[in-house]
């Protein structure tokens, strides 16, 4: 059965019943039909006296282009914890329409480890992403309108920093020329995908309505000719942006295939944005559940580092453990067992017995275990197993994970077996959460911007050093002069390697990380350092996934969505 067929084979529970399992009252839910609902923020006041649950992050090694199952592992683990008698909530990002119609397909898990209603979640859900794009582009329109009507704030037209946003991958929009009302050639500009929008980051990091409004007002849109910042507040647009995001600020309650609760909210990408679901979703879950399982985008050097250094720094929440997801095929890829080409079958060097490649590839896993341990929390390794995987190779990975410093290692078959297949992993996570945790961020607020970037590059990636373009050096100096030297750094780089080069597999060393650009995300509260070759607007592949998606005109059912 396809993922879509499996999802449709399950009779979902009414969303009110799902909420009641974790003490969400009917009055605290705003239903969107029978099987999804917004959660009112008032629940945080009602349950403020309740101790927070255990906070568990799901991360991974550097993946193959198909991914290694972080989302399925997060869902499977949450279901497995319920089977062991623990109340658990999985918190996830909302899938992006870019990958849904592009390379990856949907983002609701797969097999017996999915969140439902699958079609709704993968497409529009409750409209949050559209609200983000509308809010973002309203500010774009206000900015150009202000310039058109005389530019009273004295903006330097060569220093307009605010792009436009759209939710579909479209490489043709990476660089555009805006027309002018008098027919003359206008200025150069660009689009970013909605999931890279600063408004999406603001939504994900806001602690409530007041914080959302403040953050929107701080967004930097450009500089004056004297080098002074101009913000969304200066353009008198922040209030209207907040209005567009009023409902989008509320997390979305859905359910897993086994009827356990899931909160899905916000969707920043893990390679070009900060890669984690909203602080509000986690805040609600931590008051309602014994265990909160959340997933960060791509490998530990990307989404997990940003979870610890950006999200936890802002929220103040203390993680108790992190799960590093790994597959045999990804390890063999990092060990030189073959090349993965999208649309082509996996080579036998990845799917068949290949102990030599597997052993070499374990170096990649060792770096990711070290990355988790660098933040002072226990690491659990989850081997996401497929039916064709050999028992001796699975055992080898578990043993080497323990030797590398993981406190537990477990084989998980959640994709095939649902929560039952994740019970061993659930026991490992419970045991890890009982161990001492000495969580600490990787760098201090007051460190220079260069030192923050170089600390991430050397400790998380294994780089020998960092190089900066002339543009990046100017932008770093400007960020410091404008007072943004104390904020964290969000790194934008390839997810396919520990380095900036997607062809460098395993555990590369002695490389220099090139930084091309630094952007100020004043509202979100971080700086984004962009590595060479990275685009904030993805492109579609030669054969987009959207070619397989259609609507049955007779039944009204969606086909081809995966």
């Amino acid at each position: 059965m396809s993922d879509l067929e499996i999802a449709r084979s399950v009779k979902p529970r009414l969303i009110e019943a799902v909420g009641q399992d974790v003490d969400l009252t009917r009055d605290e839910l705003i239903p969107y039909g029978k099987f999804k609902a917004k959660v009112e923020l008032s629940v945080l006041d009602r349950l403020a006296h309740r101790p927070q649950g255990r906070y568990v992050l799901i991360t991974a090694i550097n993946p193959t282009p198909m991914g290694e199952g972080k989302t399925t592992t997060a869902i499977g683990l949450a279901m497995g914890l319920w089977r062991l008698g623990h109340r658990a909530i999985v918190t996830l990002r909302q899938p992006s329409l870019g990958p849904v119609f592009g390379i990856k397909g949907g983002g609701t898990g797969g097999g017996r480890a999915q969140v439902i209603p699958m079609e709704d979640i993968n497409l529009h859900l409750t409209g949050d992403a559209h609200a983000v794009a509308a809010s973002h582009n309203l500010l774009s329109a206000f900015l150009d309108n202000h310039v058109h009507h005389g530019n009273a704030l004295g903006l330097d037209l060569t220093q307009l920093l605010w792009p436009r946003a759209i939710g579909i991958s479209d490489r043709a929009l990476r660089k555009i020329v805006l027309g002018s009302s008098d027919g003359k050639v206008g200025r150069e500009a660009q689009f970013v995908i909605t999931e890279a929008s600063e408004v999406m980051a603001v939504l994900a990091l806001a602690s409530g309505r007041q914080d959302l409004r403040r953050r929107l007002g701080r967004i930097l849109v450009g500089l004056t000719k004297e080098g002074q910042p101009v913000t969304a507040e200066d353009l008198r647009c922040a209030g209207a942006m907040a209005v567009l995001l009023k409902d989008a600020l509320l997390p979305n309650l859905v359910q897993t295939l086994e009827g356990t609760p899931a909160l899905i909210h916000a969707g920043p990408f893990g390679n070009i944005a900060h890669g984690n679901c909203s602080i509000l979703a986690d805040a609600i879950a931590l008051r309602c559940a014994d265990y909160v399982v959340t997933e960060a985008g791509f490998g530990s050097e990307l989404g997990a580092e940003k979870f610890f250094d950006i999200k936890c720094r802002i929220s103040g929440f203390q993680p108790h453990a992190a799960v590093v997801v790994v597959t045999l095929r990804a390890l063999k890829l990092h060990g030189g067992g073959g090349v993965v080409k999208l649309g082509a079958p996996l080579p036998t060097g990845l799917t068949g017995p290949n102990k030599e490649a597997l052993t070499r590839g374990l170096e990649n896993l060792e770096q990711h275990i070290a990355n988790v341990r660098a933040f002072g929390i226990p690491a659990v390794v989850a081997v996401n197993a497929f039916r064709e995987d050999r028992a001796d190779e699975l055992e080898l990975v578990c043993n080497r994970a323990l030797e590398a410093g993981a406190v537990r290692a477990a084989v998980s078959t959640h994709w095939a077996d649902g929560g039952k297949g994740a019970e061993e992993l659930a026991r490992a996570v419970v045991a890890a959460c009982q161990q001492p945790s000495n969580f600490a961020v990787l760098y201090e607020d007051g460190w220079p911007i260069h030192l923050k970037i170089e600390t991430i590059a050397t400790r998380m990636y294994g780089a020998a050093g960092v190089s900066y373009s002339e543009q990046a050096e100017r932008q770093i100096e400007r960020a410091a002069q404008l007072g943004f030297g104390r904020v964290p750094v969000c790194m934008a780089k390839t997810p396919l390697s520990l380095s900036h080069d997607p062809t460098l597999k395993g555990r590369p060393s002695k490389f220099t990380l090139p930084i091309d650009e630094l952007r100020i995300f004043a509202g979100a509260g971080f700086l984004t350092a962009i590595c060479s070759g990275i685009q904030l607007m993805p492109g579609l592949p030669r054969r987009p996934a959207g070619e397989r998606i259609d609507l049955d005109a007779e039944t009204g059912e969606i086909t081809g969505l995966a």
Side-chain angles (χ1 to χ4, degrees):
M1 296 173 67
S2 69
D3 291 344
L4 183 55
E5 289 170 333
I6 292 172
R8 286 175 177 168
S9 71
V10 173
K11 183 178 180 181
R13 303 173 63 203
L14 295 177
I15 200 63
E16 290 87 352
V18 176
Q20 288 170 6
D21 286 348
V22 287
D23 297 335
L24 293 172
T25 68
R26 178 174 293 182
D27 290 341
E28 289 165 341
L29 300 180
I30 305 172
Y32 279 62
K34 297 179 180 180
F35 308 121
K36 54 185 177 179
K38 288 282 186 182
V39 181
E40 293 276 16
L41 302 185
S42 58
V43 66
L44 291 172
D45 293 328
R46 181 174 65 83
L47 298 180
H49 66 284
R50 183 178 289 181
Q52 292 183 349
R54 301 286 184 173
Y55 199 23
V56 180
L57 175 70
I58 306 296
T59 184
I61 68 168
N62 294 100
T64 66
M66 296 87 68
E68 302 319 303
K70 285 194 317 300
T71 302
T72 62
T73 301
I75 297 165
L77 173 58
M79 296 189 301
L81 287 164
W82 273 96
R83 285 174 168 268
L84 299 185
H86 305 288
R87 294 204 306 183
I89 297 176
V90 60
T91 63
L92 300 170
R93 292 170 293 159
Q94 182 177 342
S96 166
L97 292 180
V100 166
F101 292 104
I103 295 177
K104 190 176 178 182
T108 54
R112 297 290 171 182
Q114 297 188 55
V115 282
I116 52 175
M118 184 258 223
E119 297 106 313
D120 291 5
I121 297 168
N122 275 323
L123 297 174
H124 309 289
L125 191 52
T126 54
D128 296 350
H130 300 306
V132 167
S135 179
H136 182 117
N137 291 326
L138 181 67
L139 181 56
S140 302
F142 266 55
L143 174 60
D144 285 312
N145 187 61
H146 177 85
V147 171
H148 172 77
H149 286 290
N151 193 13
L153 292 172
L155 280 154
D156 181 348
L157 300 189
T158 68
Q159 294 292 328
L160 300 183
L161 307 175
W162 190 245
R164 282 167 164 77
I166 190 171
I168 299 295
S169 299
D170 190 347
R171 63 173 55 84
L173 297 178
R174 288 172 180 169
K175 292 184 179 181
I176 61 171
V177 176
L178 297 175
S180 60
S181 59
D182 57 8
K184 296 180 181 179
V185 175
R187 64 181 177 89
E188 289 188 357
Q190 68 171 171
F191 275 78
V192 299
I193 196 163
T194 299
E195 286 67 26
S197 161
E198 184 176 357
V199 178
M200 180 66 83
V202 165
L203 182 72
L205 295 171
S207 61
R209 293 184 182 89
Q210 290 184 346
D211 191 35
L212 174 75
R213 178 62 181 78
R214 282 193 296 266
R215 288 176 179 276
L216 292 171
R218 294 202 306 258
I219 288 174
L220 180 65
V221 299
L223 302 175
T224 66
K225 295 175 182 177
E226 293 75 32
Q228 295 302 304
V230 177
T231 66
E233 198 68 65
D234 294 328
L235 291 177
R236 302 181 68 182
C237 185
M241 295 170 70
V243 167
L244 287 173
L245 295 170
K246 178 178 73 72
D247 294 333
L249 184 65
L250 307 181
N252 305 291
L253 177 67
V254 291
Q255 62 191 285
T256 69
L257 287 180
E258 296 182 8
T260 64
L263 288 171
I264 295 182
H265 195 214
F269 279 173
N271 61 328
I272 56 177
H274 79 275
N276 286 266
C277 73
S278 75
I279 285 175
L280 281 171
D282 288 357
I284 291 171
L286 285 167
R287 296 297 182 185
C288 293
D290 304 321
Y291 289 86
V292 174
V293 180
T294 191
E295 171 263 353
F298 294 115
S300 72
E301 90 286 8
L302 281 173
E305 185 273 320
K306 297 167 187 179
F307 171 82
F308 297 131
D309 278 329
I310 297 177
K311 187 177 180 181
C312 290
R313 191 189 300 259
I314 291 172
S315 71
F317 298 152
Q318 299 282 310
H320 294 85
V323 176
V324 181
V325 179
V326 62
T327 61
L328 297 185
R329 67 187 185 186
L331 290 172
K332 293 171 184 176
L333 173 71
H334 285 288
V339 177
V340 175
K341 295 182 179 179
L342 287 172
L346 288 173
T348 57
L350 303 186
T351 58
N354 193 343
K355 190 173 181 179
E356 182 180 354
L358 177 62
T359 302
R360 288 196 302 266
L362 283 164
E363 291 184 354
N364 187 267
L365 172 61
E366 290 167 354
Q367 177 69 55
H368 291 285
I369 294 172
N371 285 354
V372 170
R373 296 184 67 196
F375 292 95
I377 65 170
V380 175
V381 169
V383 188
N384 181 17
F386 298 89
R387 295 191 186 279
E388 65 272 14
D389 289 346
R390 290 170 55 102
D392 61 328
E393 292 187 336
L394 295 170
E395 183 180 7
L396 172 64
V397 174
C398 289
N399 290 338
R400 284 286 295 271
L402 296 174
E403 292 172 7
V407 298
R408 292 286 192 281
V411 175
S412 188
T413 60
H414 48 270
W415 190 92
D417 302 317
K420 182 176 177 59
E423 287 183 14
E424 180 186 354
L425 176 60
R427 292 187 184 93
V429 167
V430 170
C433 287
Q434 292 170 351
Q435 296 201 6
S437 175
N438 300 302
F439 173 68
V441 294
L442 197 63
Y443 52 81
E444 300 298 328
D445 292 344
W447 289 12
I449 297 170
H450 287 95
L451 183 56
K452 293 175 183 177
I453 294 172
E454 288 154 17
T455 298
I456 295 170
T458 55
R459 296 194 64 186
M460 295 287 104
Y461 309 165
V466 178
S467 65
Y468 303 89
S469 70
E470 291 183 5
Q471 173 184 242
E473 289 284 16
R474 291 194 304 271
Q475 292 166 335
I476 290 171
E477 182 180 2
R478 181 173 66 190
Q481 291 173 346
L482 292 175
F484 297 106
R486 295 183 60 82
V487 301
V489 175
C490 176
M491 302 291 286
K493 78 166 191 71
T494 179
L496 299 178
S497 170
L498 283 162
S499 75
H500 62 286
D501 182 350
T503 67
L504 292 179
K505 302 301 182 184
R507 193 177 188 177
S509 61
K510 299 181 180 179
F511 64 90
T512 300
L513 186 80
I515 302 297
D516 276 1
E517 185 180 354
L518 185 96
R519 297 192 181 192
I520 300 171
F521 281 41
F526 58 71
L527 305 172
T528 294
I530 303 174
C531 292
S532 177
I534 292 298
Q535 298 285 348
L536 302 189
M537 168 57 77
L540 292 171
R542 183 179 297 273
R543 298 298 301 272
E547 291 182 359
R548 304 188 299 270
I549 299 173
D550 207 339
L551 184 69
D552 189 309
E554 293 186 3
T555 66
E557 288 190 340
I558 296 168
T559 60
L561 189 62

